[in-house]
Amino acid sequence: MASPKTGEDVVPEDLQSDLPLHSKAEDKAMESSQQSPDVRNPQSPKASQPKKSKTKDSKPDKEKSKAKSSNPVKVNGELSKSQGESTTGPLPDFVIQRNKLFDELKRRHDAEILARDHPIINVSLDLGLDKDGKPRPTMPVAAKAWESTPGSFLRHVDKDITSDVVIAKVNGKDLWDLDRPLEYDCCVSYVPFTSAEGRKVFWHSSAHVLGEAAECQYQCLLSHGPPVEQGFFYDMAIGEGQVVKEADWSPLESKASKYFKEKQPFERLHVSIPDLKEMFGYSKYKMYYIENLLPPEGSTVYKCGTLVDLCLGPHIQNTSKIKTFQIMKNSSCYFRGDKNDDSLQRIYGVAFPDKKQMAEHKKFLEEASKRDHRKIGIDQDLFFFNELSPGSAFLLPHGTIIFNALQKLLRSEYQNRGYQEVQSPNMYDVELWKKSGHWKHYQDDMFSLEVEKRKWALKPMNCPGHCLMFGHRERSYRELPLRMADFGVLHRNEASGALHGLTRVRRFQQDDTHVFCTQDQITQEIEGLFDFLKCIYGLFGFPFKLKFSTRPEKYMGDLDTWDAAEAKLKDALDAFTASGGGQWELNEGDGAFYGPKIDITISDALKRDHQCATIQLDFQLPQNFELEYMTAEMAAKSKAPDPSEAKSEPTTASKGPKPPGPGRARPVMLHRAIIGSFERFMAILTEHFAGKWPFWLSPRQVLVIPVMPTVNDYVEEVQRLLRAHKMHVDIDISGNTMPKKIRTGQLQQYNFIFVVGAQEKESRSVNIRNRDDQETQSKGDLIPLNEAIQKLKALKKERRLINSI
């Protein structure tokens, strides 16, 4: 379930992306969506309700629906259009009853608010930066609690600010509906569509409009409709044997367009669990969310036109903000991403506050499609997948060349930075995971098996194994910091619906490192990691941003330990900013269960953000494994410990980990990855470079082509000489014409094509065509062979991005 701070539907989010690559937000959505199959979660709607109920719920009795629709319910003596009919025809009975209850509860709520005292509160407006990038002065405004709304203050604000406003933010933290009354003293700011938060809210509201249209068109049971990185979707059950067709898109878009013209407001209401069950009792999907994902005090619902839906919000003021709306695709999916659950229909869409942005978005999608790593991976023979091992990539020779080049890069940096590479087992007794705490939080995402009456699990991460390696012998403070690097294979039990090319796999490798250090060394280690980030990402031309994630709701350990860990990370981030490293962002409540973390987001050539690197500070695992080292105080002792000291220790068993003995201390553990999963990073690089690899990373560096067969021996000699310098060189001495050979090489994205004839053979030179230099395509540059080799060696060694010698 999304937390209130994120402002999303109270259901799991996306299982697949509109674009070739998943963003960080979509990755999180997929992680939150993947719950256990029925055997592990008996509360699944499929487990608790027979399949037959889907048909009954999905296809209400039409005669009953028509009878209800012909006699609309009156609200306060007025006919309620939203309860009796839509703009396009009669509504199903369950919609009428649901909306009738909403209107009744909303009327009571509004009466209660009206009867309350409306004291004066202190409100100021933070209007952000001016055109010169300087902060505007805060503006105090007159306000009353339970009466004044953020939207009511916009009349005091210039149009150049208000034109793009989507939602408000209270005290710099909580997103707030523009028409929701304020409740206490606060500072109000406004979030535009151009911001990530603004787009998310806008697309979330657009998803509700899609849900309204779908409910009217199909009389369907809606599941959930969240925003995703490039739009939104809605999942629904539309009746046994029925599917959404492309022919349905236009009617859905027409309905949505009518809703925009109606300026349908988004109405917010907090509802108790009993009332929610009455309101959504017709849908086993909504009942699953209510019974399994909501807190005891209930949750909010939002009404837009004829749609009332479970939702944490917030939303735009009304549908007139949406100026252009388009269905992008539809597909089938499984409820909760579980193939053992109901099959649903999913409709994807996108919307914008002006038509120009829609045109730009379509161009973006077109370019993203060309860069799809799945397509390029097949075209360039990099990798493939097979259903006999779902979610596990088969890296072909060319893909393995890229993998090895990345690994070589990291190994060279490891040597320079004092890392020690290790190898650890792939499978452990589950007692290890119980000791580490992972079993309680992570067991559903692990592959487990039974061998010789013992339960085992394939490792999804390296940290517990590295704790065993640290603790297997006596350690001294002189060994710290101990930087333990591991490229081992990991397995995670991702749901089949979440698997997506190289970006979401079950079997992967990552540049995993765990640093064991003293508390005094934390800041310098994190500063060293920031330098490592700049070094690696700078090679690929990736700018990066830092996000500090603090203690989540479910955490391991005590508050004092968490506070100390968060303070250390914050100090390191502030030092990074002070040194010119850029501002960092606070992401409250999104830390790992064992410690706070810094997530690093890179931006690719299409300005898409991807989270690869992470730095996590962990005081918990060293405690769970009772890790310790000899301090300088202990090492300074020249005599053996006094036996009486040991006798004086209490003999009764104490709860929790045993504290370190005299002259010993507990190390701190830093979890860190720079590129993260090699598979995911290869996908990002593939789309970032559009398959045009830098020379040092390229699996096709040089193609040598003869002008005539009589120089084939020279072609083969050039290949041997270049391969002797560990370059990836191919030759084409087939019977194809020379122009066809050159064109084939160009399509395969060889960095350089060497064309050699009698003149080149005689002078021991090569005619070089540069992939990225159009002037060399008709006729290349004639360069002596030895000079060409030296220039290529320098290009590879320096790992330059520009393809030029």
Side-chain angles (χ1 to χ4, degrees), residues 476-511:
S476 166
Y477 74 97
R478 293 187 180 92
E479 298 179 70
L480 305 184
L482 177 59
R483 305 178 185 101
M484 202 176 288
D486 195 331
F487 292 122
V489 174
L490 305 175
H491 288 85
R492 294 183 183 174
N493 188 13
E494 303 285 359
S496 57
L499 300 178
H500 184 86
L502 292 178
T503 64
R504 204 67 172 184
V505 291
R506 288 174 173 166
R507 184 265 187 205
F508 62 99
Q509 291 173 259
Q510 61 183 21
D511 64 322

Side-chain angles (χ1 to χ4, degrees), residues 69 80-92 95 99 209 212-217 251-265 304-307 319:
S69 302
S80 174
K81 183 178 182 181
S82 67
Q83 291 186 341
E85 60 180 280
S86 71
T87 57
T88 54
L91 291 170
V95 171
N99 294 3
V209 175
E212 180 184 2
E215 203 170 58
C216 291
Q217 179 152 322
L252 286 169
E253 291 169 351
S254 296
K255 287 181 173 65
S257 295
K258 292 181 180 179
Y259 303 154
F260 305 153
K261 295 174 183 177
E262 292 174 357
K263 297 185 178 181
Q264 297 176 352
C304 169
T306 62
L307 177 69
T319 55

Side-chain angles (χ1 to χ4, degrees), residues 496-673:
S496 57
L499 300 178
H500 184 86
L502 292 178
T503 64
R504 204 67 172 184
V505 291
R506 288 174 173 166
R507 184 265 187 205
F508 62 99
Q509 291 173 259
Q510 61 183 21
D511 64 322
D512 204 7
T513 290
H514 296 96
V515 180
F516 297 90
C517 63
T518 68
Q519 293 205 29
D520 293 339
Q521 295 169 336
I522 291 175
T523 302
Q524 72 179 43
E525 283 302 302
I526 295 177
E527 288 173 353
L529 291 176
F530 288 157
D531 182 71
F532 203 161
L533 288 171
K534 289 192 287 187
C535 171
I536 296 299
Y537 291 157
L539 276 176
F540 301 104
F542 288 137
F544 65 90
K545 296 177 289 188
L546 304 175
K547 185 177 290 186
F548 178 31
S549 300
T550 57
R551 185 180 65 251
E553 291 182 10
K554 295 181 179 180
Y555 63 91
M556 186 168 64
D558 60 84
L559 286 175
D560 289 342
T561 301
W562 271 89
D563 290 344
E566 290 178 358
K568 291 284 187 181
L569 286 186
K570 185 177 182 298
D571 288 346
L573 284 164
D574 287 340
F576 179 71
T577 299
S579 66
Q583 296 293 324
W584 54 273
E585 179 184 343
L586 180 63
N587 187 22
E588 290 190 16
D590 199 38
F593 67 87
Y594 49 77
K597 63 178 181 174
I598 300 171
D599 289 326
I600 297 92
T601 303
I602 61 176
S603 182
D604 69 9
L606 293 182
K607 308 302 181 185
R608 297 173 299 183
D609 289 340
H610 309 284
Q611 193 236 307
C612 297
T614 185
I615 300 171
Q616 301 174 2
L617 188 55
D618 188 352
F619 288 85
Q620 310 301 332
L621 273 186
Q623 289 187 33
N624 291 356
F625 284 88
E626 298 182 354
L627 302 181
E628 56 185 49
Y629 62 90
M630 255 191 329
T631 63
E633 175 188 351
M634 180 67 172
K637 292 184 179 181
S638 58
K639 62 177 184 176
D642 188 343
S644 63
E645 293 181 3
K647 293 179 181 178
S648 66
E649 293 181 4
T651 56
T652 56
S654 59
K655 293 182 179 179
K658 181 178 66 175
R664 298 178 181 276
R666 192 84 75 209
V668 179
M669 192 174 181
L670 278 169
H671 305 249
R672 84 100 186 99

